[in-house]
Amino acid sequence: MIRTPPTAPYRDLRRDVYAAVAAALLVTASVLVGRHIQDTSRTLFVDWPPVLASWAPHTGPGTPAAVLVAVATVAYGPVLAARLPWRTLLPAAWATSTVWILSLALVDGWHRGVARRLTTRHEYLQVVDRFHDVPAALRGFTGHILLDSPDNWPAHVAGHPPAATLTFVLLDRAGLRGGGWAGTWCVVVGATACVAVLVALRALADEALARRAAPFLVLAPAAVWMGTSADAYFAAVAAWAVALLALAVTRGSPGWAGASGLLFGLTCYLSYGLTLVALIAGAVLVLGRHGVRRHPVVPAALLAGLAVVPAVFTLAGFDWWEAYRLLVTRYGQGAGGIRPYGYWVWANLACAVLVTGPATVAGLRRTAASLLRHRIGARAGVRLAFLVAAALAALLVADLSGMSKAETERIWLPFALWLLPACAFLPRPRLWLTAQALLALLLNHLLLTGW
């Protein structure tokens, strides 16, 4: 009897499943090995490796809403994403993403899930009162980074340039005081990141691919850590910088280029590690190179905008390079100097799997296949694959740097969001969306995350 070879779609689906299973095995290995290291040497400084969390099965007031959003997005998301007018799709995606992030945060309750997140001893709101004189605080910022310095900054304040802390200082000055407002800011602004990615995809690839990616961007497992984390806000700023650059190079607009440069500058003063977003920006410039050649004013406007935020902070007395040098020393003084690189260099990738989900792993397999089979720029799908590959490269550089040992489920959100569009390559979107939703719900209801 002659066996009929499997059809190409079935063969591709099987390979997608193999990739997802391999990723699940990576996560399993990181849990088992991490548990052994933590139990024997206590050098990981996390309770449930590879993520910073504790095992604590629970439900909360956000559980019904989270389940409802998941079911509705799986059932109707792909159809609505394909049929809604583009100007309606964008706010719909933002609203749904906001509800998804907030409902997952509320599984832990309003106090623990939202209001208290940014008020703990490591967080930004601890030092708002120390910025009553902002110019003086900026001039003296580097003097409080090291652990042995007087009145050293809390971990997250010391670990980021001052624009991160200043955001919450300005919220406080505007009357939006306390952890509740700060957490709400991070959720609402962070949820706009999915809109920025959609705008960039439409400009650089095509609208059909952007629409296919939309439900996956909305229902991302990353939402577990976007509510409520300042890194969600950072991710949104970085995403909009990339999106505006995409509009600038495809439309020849110096205005969008200047705005993009302004946000890129702000991004670098929100987080040192987000200088790696330059790799994604570089991919945008490569994909839009014809527009750049036709409109040389675009890169000039980009550079002009890029100079604004660094110039303001430098004139105010903050030295970015000196602060980063001191941060590297501070990182070695704390848990970062003890956590074993040999574990985290691969366990961080397991964290990335949890943040982006099995659908993204399968999508990345198809991304690689697309790049191998076709020349860059030949098709919209290859352009999308090139953009995703740039984000993956940024994430891998961050991993190899050794400055991201643990907590990457939160720290790498700005890179992880650009991996999610790989899901646009997948057939049977409802099947993969179900897997994404189940992962997020399980993580949020079985673990108590913290940072």
Side-chain angles (χ1 to χ4, degrees), residues 178-420:
W181 282 112
T184 301
W185 166 267
C186 291
V187 169
V188 174
V189 175
T192 68
C194 74
V195 179
V197 176
L198 290 175
V199 168
L201 295 182
R202 184 176 185 242
L204 296 170
D206 66 17
E207 186 172 317
L209 283 171
R211 288 176 177 275
R212 288 182 61 83
F216 292 96
L217 286 162
V218 167
L219 207 60
V224 172
W225 292 277
M226 293 181 76
T228 55
S229 161
D231 293 87
Y233 157 53
F234 305 160
V237 175
W240 279 110
V242 174
L244 295 183
L245 181 59
L247 292 177
V249 299
T250 54
R251 299 182 181 182
S253 169
W256 288 129
S260 172
L262 191 66
L263 289 182
F264 272 122
L266 176 58
T267 297
C268 294
Y269 278 75
L270 290 172
S271 174
Y272 298 103
L274 291 190
T275 52
L276 291 174
V277 174
L279 291 175
I280 306 175
V284 173
L285 291 174
V286 170
L287 293 173
R289 59 192 179 278
H290 299 304
V292 173
R293 289 169 185 165
R294 288 194 300 269
H295 303 93
V297 70
V298 166
L302 175 67
L303 292 174
L306 183 60
V308 172
V309 173
V312 169
F313 276 94
T314 301
L315 291 173
F318 172 72
D319 187 333
W320 192 97
W321 294 102
E322 174 66 7
Y324 180 71
R325 183 187 69 80
L326 292 171
L327 170 62
V328 174
T329 302
R330 164 90 183 239
Y331 192 71
Q333 291 177 325
I338 301 173
R339 286 169 168 157
Y341 179 85
Y343 170 76
W344 288 109
V345 74
W346 62 272
N348 282 339
L349 301 180
C351 288
V353 171
L354 294 174
V355 171
T356 58
T360 303
V361 174
L364 288 174
R365 187 203 72 78
R366 291 184 179 246
T367 296
S370 180
L371 287 174
L372 290 173
R373 293 172 186 169
H374 301 284
R375 184 174 60 85
I376 291 172
R379 291 171 46 190
V382 183
R383 296 168 68 83
L384 170 58
F386 184 63
L387 185 65
V388 170
L392 181 60
L395 186 147
L396 292 176
V397 171
D399 187 30
L400 294 173
S401 73
M403 288 295 289
S404 297
K405 289 184 284 187
E407 301 181 57
T408 52
E409 64 272 16
R410 169 183 57 83
I411 299 169
W412 286 356
L413 285 173
F415 309 125
L417 291 176
W418 291 96
L419 301 181
L420 293 166

